[in-house]
Amino acid sequence: MSTGTMRRFPSSIGCLKLAPWAVAQVLRSPLALIVLAALLWILSAAAVLPGHARLSDLLDHNPLAAGYEGRFLLDDLDRLHPETMVSLGALPLAATLLITFFAGGILACIGITSGRRLRVSDFLAESGRYFFRSLRTWCLFLLALILWSWAVFGGLLPFLSDLFLAGGSDTRQLVFDLGTSVVWLLGFGLLLALRRLALARLVLLERRSAVVAFFGSIGLVLRRPFSLLTAFAGLFLIWGVGMAVVGLSVNRFIDDGNRLLLALLAGMAGGLVQQGCNMASFVMARRICALDLSDREQISEPTVVVPAGVRKAETRPEVAVSRP
Amino acid sequence: MPFGRLVLPALLLSTPLLSQAVDPARTGLPEKSAGVVSYRIAVRLSRGEAESPQSLASPADSDPGVPLRYLNGRARIRYRNITEGSSSELRFHLYLNAFRNLRSTHLRESERLQKSYGSGRDEWGNKDEFGWIRVDELELVSGAGGPAEKLRQEFISPDDGNPDDRTVLKAALPGAFEPGSEILLELRFTAKLPKAYRRTGWGPGNFFMVAQWFPKLGVLEDGEDGRSTWNCHQFHASTEFYADYGSYDVKIETPAGWPVGATGELRGEVEQLIDGYERRLFYQDDVHDFAWVTDKDYKVDEWTFEGRDKQEPRIAEILETKFGYPGEQLRLSDVKVRMLLHPEHATEAHIARHRRAVEVALSFFGSRYGRYPYKTLTVVDPCRDLEWRNLGGGMEYPTLITCGTPPILHSRALRPEGVTIHEFGHQFWYGLSGNNEFEHSWLDEGFNSYSEGRAQDLAYNKLEGNPPVGDPAHVSTFGIIPFRGRSTGSLDGLGSGAVKELTTLRRLDLEPLLELTGAKEIKALLESINFEGEILPDLGALEIIRSLPFFTYERDVPHRNLYSDRARCLEAPHTDPIVRNAWEYLDRSSYRSNSYSRPSTVLSTLERMMGYERWWAFARRFHEQARFAHPTSQDFLRLLEEHTTDMPEVLSFARDAFFTTKSLDYGIEVRQVEEPEAKGYFEDAEEEKGQGDVTEVTVHRKGEIVVPVDLLFVFEKKGLVRERWAAEGQGNWKRYVFSAVQIREYGKLREAYVDPPDPDRFEPYVGPAGVYVVDSNLLNNSWQAKINKLPARHHSLRSFLWVQTVLSFFGGLG
């Protein structure tokens, strides 16, 4: 049985299939992927190009700038020409808002359409329709992240450090640092997943309350912790392998004779990997929500085919939820 | 043995009366110091104050539940007046009192430095974390009008008049302390160690770093009007050493079974005491301080450095040629090295890398400045301090150094090598050459940074050895995990405060957000539960995910001390000259720049100006004259003048570099001037045709320091053409015009350099710097006709990938 036609919520191991399925769905809508990646490429280029022009002025005619030892000049560049250093300014905020805007479109369009190509206008329209719901879940995510960080670094960490670090060895310090980082990162990952699940619920059920959706998602996490863990870990693994391959390629192209164009193309492929995995995380969250709702309410089978371009009101959910 | 029956070392009585000022006529290495002072001390690391004046032990010593905090000690001090005047007082350093309370000069300055530099200690906890020292009894046994029952004591603050500072003790003598005479003192003291801070105190676990721990006499110097004056500074946040050379005979009592490292040689057997303690005797001549360390958990590694054949042949040849030193005289001596390492740093790799670093250091410093004269060297792995930084990173004491060690090593990062070589180097520049660190801090820190950098750049130029180490590159760290690479950008931007922190997720700090929103009630509530505002520190793990450094960082960015010192000194604004009282620099940044990196860079420049052979002959002679003496900046300049009589620019540069805030910067600009088009009246066709294009090369002097500079032009046909822009009459610029006729003969100008790098002259040759390493802008020192877009594109590519990755991360939060 393919993931696309699953009727019941899969086992923890079975959830491993969700990540590749979600990535495949994203790849079936390359236009959306390229639009998102291109937007980040444009932002990245906007951050780098002004500095590059100045860098070019300073280095193109400098015979000492070439090669390994020429990089000693980087200190002078940083000190005397800070304009050549990339500074991100508000771009991280822009990137966050960008994906927050498109999150609804991803949930409403990717992996649902079949047989017809996704139209950019539909994608934008759906993104706009769910933007404020997406923004509300993002605000809740941020609040939860602050509370979680506070709990770990403001409460747990000082308490544990007194107990754990009394011996004063570096090994203990290392274990302690890594341990607290891993604990925080697990919570961070969980909150990212919760935010996706909550938005997926809002889109699936056409609800508006982000708070209720968040609590509903917490319930899902509590019911199926291992399934969710394997599903998102699978996606994280795909992301890691993809980026490792890209990273090795970039370094190889640079080390082997400065083939910078190839390195650039490989690096841009890294952008596709990152955006693809990010989009897949939303698609997967929707699928998990759909399966969970279907499983719990024992209703009609989940359907995966929604004709593109048809108004949502007519064909709405991926899961046809019948209420008692 | 009862304290009163301790026998004075015979050596002290037989030492001739010698001055400790630099002797300009001295050639060769002195064998012994003047031996001005002799300390005989007995001390116990105790759980409480001594139970009686006759005992060092406390009743609490038998109770292992009581923490070890106290030092109970007695001392007998013999001191000779080698000045030409008399004095009616004594002055002691009581430096543990710097940690007595927050109003001491040291902690006041630390607080100021903390604000300006971000170093220092955030907060002090309960009283147990503070420390102090008290002289319980001070008696003049003989000399200067003695014997006297007790000497009157008074705390003074000669540097800043701070009435709360108790780091300098004045004791009035009953009579005059005449030139050439000797006094004998006996004293009893009690000290409480602070929680580890600034190198001294008790640390986590069972670690005790015991430095600046006993009443130490200042230095009696010749003054005006036939009176001698004491040079005895308060304990400042930046500097702490100046004392006379002499002998130390110190008995140390610690709980049984605890390894102890100390200045000097361990003499005799370890003596077991009946109360669960043991006693060791350490002895050392010709040093000006004594420190010791103990930790129950230390692993000990001992080995011997064999000096035979370790002398650098090229340096030996220079010294033989210049000074006629026979090879035998230059041979290095054997040294017993003892390393005390915490268990997690006692891996084979840590030990091997420490050992190689010590060997490099003993060989480099011994070959160039004269052999290390002591028989022992103790290398200590310090614990972490209150804020979990390595305690002081590294620190120097006579024959004992502390070397902060990272738990995870990287083959391209010279840690622990850098700190090990640096601290060992202080055996020469601080230890053997005992300058007044308060007034001439560059003479130890600067000379040592320069030497340490040269030693590392020379010995670790290639990746080699077992384990392989070398060819150092930029290594970033995430937490404590080292990672080769250099970030191409920064997350900074968006102003400051909460918005930036929230949007970059660099760290989350609620305080600015509350300030922004004016939520006073919430702020008060948070303060009531002792919440400090920061809820998310900058996590290394987050940094790795956010920027995927293996993919986005510049991977191969070489790191050499020559350039890192240069970069550090140029980063700091030139607010002070190098030669200045250390506590009078504007701030910590100025102190560090002017004591470490700037003099190091100036010395590198002097080396290149003078040439290898002349420089190393000079440096050797300077160390010979400074060994067991108190050299000053003027001594350095005097000798430099002697060695460069035919190169007046060297002294002129040194004066500017050490005594002013002037900078040095030369740049080059090339312009191809096209022949104007043939409009107007011309006599004949040949005239109308014209001469051809002209090439103009303009050399600019943008800094205030004036020196002669070499110019190098590379032409297509003629090859290299060299010019020199002399210092005499040098203006702000000079233009070299190559006429069309010359261009036809030479070919087109391909490259042009001011102060070009020269692989044949500089050791070890690396990078784009020429003679003037101190040149503040190397980007404008060269030009080429051919356009090479690769360096800029390479850098921008990594920047692009970094931005893309960071934005993808933040997109993932959306």
Side-chain angles (χ1 to χ4, degrees):
Chain A
M1 184 175 67
S2 75
T3 315
T5 56
M6 280 176 190
R7 295 173 184 213
R8 297 279 173 220
F9 204 98
S11 65
S12 300
I13 301 298
C15 279
L16 278 173
K17 291 180 186 170
L18 285 172
W21 173 82
V23 171
Q25 299 307 309
V26 171
L27 292 177
R28 286 172 61 189
S29 304
L31 191 61
L33 174 60
I34 289 171
V35 165
L36 257 66
L39 285 172
L40 289 191
W41 289 333
I42 290 166
L43 289 181
S44 305
V48 172
L49 285 177
H52 175 73
R54 185 73 184 113
L55 208 55
S56 199
D57 285 346
L58 291 163
L59 300 183
D60 285 359
H61 281 286
N62 192 325
L64 301 174
Y68 180 59
E69 292 190 343
R71 294 186 204 172
F72 283 118
L73 294 175
L74 290 177
D75 286 329
D76 282 21
L77 274 178
D78 292 354
R79 179 171 47 83
L80 299 168
H81 301 283
E83 72 277 12
T84 61
M85 279 282 280
V86 177
S87 186
L88 292 181
L91 289 181
L93 183 64
T96 305
L97 284 175
L98 200 68
I99 303 299
T100 304
F101 175 77
F102 284 115
I106 294 167
L107 282 165
C109 300
I110 309 293
I112 295 179
T113 57
S114 175
R116 292 177 61 176
R117 290 177 62 190
L118 173 67
R119 289 188 303 212
V120 173
S121 57
D122 293 335
F123 185 55
L124 288 174
E126 293 300 313
S127 297
R129 197 153 82 90
Y130 292 110
F131 173 61
F132 286 103
R133 275 175 260 198
S134 180
L135 197 60
R136 288 201 294 277
T137 54
W138 185 79
C139 288
L140 279 177
F141 157 76
L142 194 63
L143 187 65
L145 182 65
I146 289 173
L147 290 173
W148 169 242
S149 303
W150 189 354
V152 173
F153 296 105
L156 192 65
L157 192 134
F159 172 73
L160 286 179
S161 66
D162 287 346
L163 286 179
F164 198 76
L165 297 178
S169 82
D170 272 349
T171 310
R172 277 174 169 242
Q173 179 72 31
L174 175 62
V175 170
F176 186 77
D177 284 350
L178 289 180
T180 46
S181 294
V182 167
V183 167
W184 183 84
L185 282 173
L186 283 174
F188 176 61
L190 177 66
L191 291 174
L192 279 175
L194 276 176
R195 177 262 198 281
R196 279 154 176 70
L197 292 168
L199 186 58
R201 282 179 83 89
L202 292 180
V203 172
L204 278 173
L205 301 175
E206 275 297 340
R207 301 282 165 79
R208 293 191 174 275
S209 170
V211 176
V212 172
F214 235 90
F215 278 104
S217 302
I218 290 171
L220 196 163
V221 169
L222 292 175
R223 282 194 303 281
R224 306 180 190 281
F226 296 110
S227 300
L228 286 170
L229 185 68
T230 50
F232 281 99
L235 193 58
F236 190 71
L237 191 67
I238 291 172
W239 171 81
V241 170
M243 290 311 296
V245 170
V246 166
L248 287 172
S249 307
V250 168
N251 289 330
R252 181 84 185 264
F253 288 135
I254 291 177
D255 293 345
D256 290 355
N258 275 316
R259 289 186 282 171
L260 298 188
L261 183 62
L262 286 175
L264 176 66
L265 292 174
M268 289 170 77
L272 287 172
V273 170
Q274 307 216 58
Q275 290 315 307
C277 288
N278 192 23
M279 290 167 75
S281 70
F282 284 99
V283 174
M284 193 168 72
R286 190 196 61 221
R287 185 69 189 154
I288 289 170
C289 270
L291 289 167
D292 179 63
L293 289 168
S294 165
D295 207 32
R296 281 179 64 217
E297 304 195 12
Q298 301 197 345
I299 48 168
S300 58
E301 293 176 6
T303 55
V304 292
V305 180
V306 174
V310 180
R311 297 291 303 167
K312 286 286 176 212
E314 298 164 30
T315 58
R316 176 64 301 228
E318 185 181 359
V319 181
V321 181
S322 63
R323 304 212 169 270
Chain B
M1 182 166 58
F3 181 76
R5 287 166 53 197
L6 292 175
V7 181
L8 278 173
L11 182 67
L12 175 69
L13 300 173
S14 63
T15 306
L17 188 65
L18 294 169
S19 165
Q20 289 183 121
V22 164
D23 175 6
R26 181 193 284 169
T27 57
L29 286 172
E31 291 298 320
K32 305 293 298 174
S33 73
V36 177
V37 66
S38 150
Y39 289 89
R40 174 158 289 197
I41 304 175
V43 63
R44 165 177 283 227
L45 178 61
S46 182
R47 300 178 197 278
E49 296 191 30
E51 61 183 330
S52 70
Q54 289 73 41
S55 169
L56 296 179
S58 157
D61 284 348
S62 56
D63 182 356
V66 179
L68 291 156
R69 293 285 182 271
Y70 290 86
L71 296 176
N72 299 324
R74 281 175 300 174
R76 169 173 283 213
I77 306 171
R78 192 173 287 268
Y79 188 82
R80 282 188 297 157
N81 181 352
I82 59 168
T83 67
E84 291 175 358
S86 62
S87 177
S88 58
E89 63 182 40
L90 301 173
R91 290 193 185 182
F92 293 88
H93 303 101
L94 292 189
Y95 276 6
L96 278 179
N97 280 338
F99 313 109
R100 188 167 169 270
N101 59 46
L102 296 177
R103 293 174 187 170
S104 71
T105 292
H106 185 105
L107 293 185
R108 279 176 192 261
E109 288 178 353
S110 296
E111 171 71 12
R112 200 180 74 216
L113 298 180
Q114 158 107 5
K115 281 177 182 156
S116 70
Y117 194 68
S119 77
R121 183 166 168 173
D122 286 337
E123 61 177 51
W124 287 75
N126 58 34
K127 274 193 173 179
D128 189 37
E129 294 185 4
F130 291 87
W132 47 260
I133 181 169
R134 185 182 70 218
V135 177
D136 300 307
E137 285 176 22
L138 174 58
E139 190 177 333
L140 180 67
V141 177
S142 65
E149 193 56 33
K150 280 184 181 173
L151 298 184
R152 191 165 48 83
Q153 303 175 26
E154 178 191 358
F155 288 107
I156 57 170
S157 303
D159 297 336
D160 65 358
N162 176 6
D164 298 314
D165 193 70
R166 295 190 172 189
T167 55
V168 176
L169 178 77
K170 183 171 97 173
L173 291 167
F177 184 16
E178 297 293 348
S181 70
E182 190 173 87
I183 55 168
L184 180 62
L185 304 161
E186 282 189 0
L187 58 90
R188 196 164 60 80
F189 64 94
T190 305
K192 184 189 163 294
L193 293 169
K195 191 168 180 179
Y197 177 63
R198 290 288 164 87
R199 296 128 189 180
T200 194
W202 49 272
N206 300 298
F207 176 80
F208 294 88
M209 180 75 229
V210 189
Q212 300 289 16
W213 56 279
F214 62 96
K216 188 168 68 170
L217 279 164
V219 176
L220 192 58
E221 294 181 335
D222 286 314
E224 293 169 0
D225 307 329
R227 302 284 297 170
S228 291
T229 55
W230 286 91
N231 193 313
C232 187
H233 291 284
Q234 295 163 249
F235 195 174
H236 292 278
S238 298
T239 50
E240 53 185 301
F241 298 117
Y242 186 44
D244 281 310
Y245 287 93
S247 63
Y248 283 81
D249 174 313
V250 181
K251 284 183 171 162
I252 299 170
E253 296 178 11
T254 58
W258 289 36
V260 176
T263 296
E265 278 183 273
L266 178 65
R267 288 207 166 162
E269 296 295 315
V270 178
E271 196 180 337
Q272 299 297 324
L273 306 178
I274 53 170
D275 58 353
Y277 270 66
E278 54 193 20
R279 181 187 293 146
R280 292 172 174 81
L281 167 63
F282 290 89
Y283 184 86
Q284 187 62 59
D285 284 322
D286 307 320
V287 291
H288 57 67
D289 197 9
F290 189 99
W292 56 285
V293 62
T294 184
D295 190 326
K296 190 180 169 185
D297 303 321
Y298 268 141
K299 304 289 179 199
V300 181
D301 183 66
E302 290 178 315
W303 52 285
T304 301
F305 168 82
E306 292 174 358
R308 178 181 289 271
D309 305 328
K310 296 285 169 56
Q311 166 70 17
E312 294 178 21
R314 191 175 172 196
I315 294 292
E317 196 183 316
I318 292 171
L319 298 177
E320 203 172 337
T321 311
K322 292 267 181 188
F323 301 138
Y325 292 160
E328 187 63 27
Q329 193 178 322
L330 298 173
R331 181 181 294 172
L332 308 185
S333 51
D334 294 352
V335 180
K336 276 177 68 177
V337 182
R338 190 159 179 260
M339 300 200 296
L340 303 177
L341 301 165
H342 284 110
E344 69 271 19
H345 296 158
T347 66
E348 278 185 25
H350 279 92
I351 290 171
R353 290 183 60 164
H354 268 302
R355 273 195 186 198
R356 186 175 159 198
V358 169
E359 286 191 349
V360 163
L362 275 160
S363 173
F364 180 91
F365 284 87
S367 296
R368 299 190 184 220
Y369 300 122
R371 78 175 140 265
Y372 178 71
Y374 309 115
K375 290 180 180 169
T376 63
L377 175 70
T378 302
V379 179
V380 173
D381 172 26
C383 81
R384 288 172 175 276
D385 68 6
L386 288 176
E387 287 153 0
W388 291 97
R389 294 174 305 220
N390 278 318
L391 190 61
M395 195 57 202
E396 69 278 11
Y397 302 98
T399 81
L400 182 147
I401 56 176
T402 71
C403 307
T405 306
I408 301 175
L409 306 177
H410 195 289
S411 61
R412 304 283 297 277
L414 296 185
R415 297 181 65 204
E417 288 82 0
V419 71
T420 305
I421 295 172
H422 181 90
E423 302 313 333
F424 175 80
H426 275 305
Q427 297 303 313
F428 286 74
W429 301 109
Y430 143 84
L432 293 166
S433 164
N435 59 289
N436 183 337
E437 200 193 29
F438 300 88
E439 296 168 17
H440 307 275
S441 56
W442 78 272
L443 272 177
D444 56 297
E445 293 298 358
F447 232 109
N448 189 37
S449 294
Y450 158 74
S451 310
E452 164 234 328
R454 292 287 275 103
Q456 284 186 67
D457 288 351
L458 199 59
Y460 291 97
N461 212 15
K462 291 179 188 155
L463 188 65
E464 58 189 6
N466 184 27
V469 188
D471 190 13
H474 264 277
V475 171
S476 306
T477 51
F478 302 106
I480 57 172
I481 302 166
F483 202 101
R484 183 157 58 99
R486 183 182 192 275
S487 176
T488 55
S490 85
L491 287 178
D492 294 338
L494 245 181
S496 62
V499 177
K500 179 177 103 185
E501 286 166 1
L502 282 171
T503 50
T504 57
L505 207 63
R506 174 169 256 180
R507 57 194 267 279
L508 289 177
D509 188 347
L510 276 190
E511 193 131 332
L513 187 67
L514 297 175
E515 292 286 345
L516 203 71
T517 56
K520 287 180 186 168
E521 293 77 12
I522 300 175
K523 196 175 174 195
L525 175 72
L526 293 175
E527 282 173 359
S528 72
I529 59 170
N530 292 324
F531 177 69
E532 289 169 2
E534 185 177 307
I535 57 176
L536 173 61
D538 206 1
L539 273 187
L542 202 58
E543 174 73 13
I544 289 174
I545 296 173
R546 185 169 52 205
S547 56
L548 297 175
F550 71 92
F551 168 52
T552 62
Y553 277 28
E554 283 273 14
R555 289 210 315 157
D556 278 311
V557 182
H559 182 280
R560 296 293 185 278
N561 285 273
L562 184 77
Y563 289 95
S564 57
D565 278 347
R566 175 182 170 276
R568 276 195 289 266
C569 88
L570 293 173
E571 270 165 23
H574 286 194
T575 49
D576 295 290
I578 290 173
V579 179
R580 162 160 258 182
N581 289 333
W583 69 94
E584 290 177 347
Y585 289 118
L586 175 68
D587 53 23
R588 177 81 174 170
S589 171
S590 179
Y591 159 71
R592 288 196 67 84
S593 169
N594 284 301
S595 300
Y596 291 77
S597 53
R598 199 162 149 224
S600 167
T601 309
V602 169
L603 292 173
S604 293
T605 302
L606 282 173
E607 178 191 339
R608 292 181 173 207
M609 287 178 84
M610 290 167 68
Y612 188 86
E613 293 185 3
R614 191 195 293 240
W615 166 258
W616 283 109
F618 159 77
R620 169 72 171 221
R621 182 53 43 89
F622 180 60
H623 183 79
E624 287 172 353
Q625 294 189 354
R627 186 172 276 209
F628 302 133
H630 299 317
T632 65
S633 304
Q634 287 70 25
D635 292 322
F636 174 85
L637 284 187
R638 176 194 45 74
L639 192 66
L640 188 71
E641 188 174 9
E642 277 177 29
H643 280 246
T644 57
T645 45
D646 56 333
M647 300 177 77
E649 69 271 18
V650 173
L651 191 67
S652 162
F653 166 77
R655 285 202 173 112
D656 281 344
F658 285 110
F659 290 94
T660 74
T661 57
K662 292 178 183 173
S663 64
L664 186 150
D665 179 21
Y666 286 87
I668 203 163
E669 196 181 0
V670 178
R671 202 161 70 96
Q672 309 278 1
V673 185
E674 290 180 9
E675 179 97 73
E677 58 182 304
K679 279 187 178 173
Y681 299 101
F682 296 94
E683 291 292 325
D684 52 37
E686 196 57 35
E687 195 182 335
E688 190 174 348
K689 189 177 160 194
Q691 297 294 311
D693 296 348
V694 169
T695 300
E696 288 180 3
V697 181
T698 310
V699 189
H700 296 274
R701 181 174 59 77
K702 299 181 177 180
E704 302 93 340
I705 296 180
V706 179
V707 283
V709 283
D710 290 328
L711 304 164
L712 175 67
F713 305 106
V714 184
F715 290 94
E716 274 177 355
K717 289 188 212 161
K718 188 174 173 70
L720 308 184
V721 173
R722 295 182 187 277
E723 294 278 347
R724 188 171 174 85
W725 189 15
E728 294 80 36
Q730 196 178 90
N732 289 337
W733 59 272
K734 181 171 183 178
R735 182 163 294 149
Y736 295 80
V737 179
F738 296 97
S739 66
V741 176
Q742 281 174 304
I743 294 296
R744 274 201 293 278
E745 183 190 343
Y746 293 177
K748 281 188 177 171
L749 181 66
R750 227 170 51 198
E751 295 169 19
Y753 300 84
V754 58
D755 189 24
D758 190 343
D760 299 329
R761 281 170 65 196
F762 309 139
E763 178 213 68
Y765 166 70
V766 277
V771 169
Y772 302 104
V773 183
V774 77
D775 188 320
S776 61
N777 184 2
L778 293 178
L779 286 165
N780 62 9
N781 282 26
S782 55
W783 173 91
Q784 67 180 0
K786 187 179 145 194
I787 293 175
N788 181 6
K789 292 200 166 287
L790 208 62
R793 284 181 178 165
H794 180 114
H795 192 67
S796 294
L797 169 67
R798 288 286 187 192
S799 299
F800 175 82
L801 298 183
W802 181 78
V803 176
Q804 175 193 268
T805 305
V806 171
L807 295 187
S808 295
F809 171 82
F810 285 103
L813 300 181

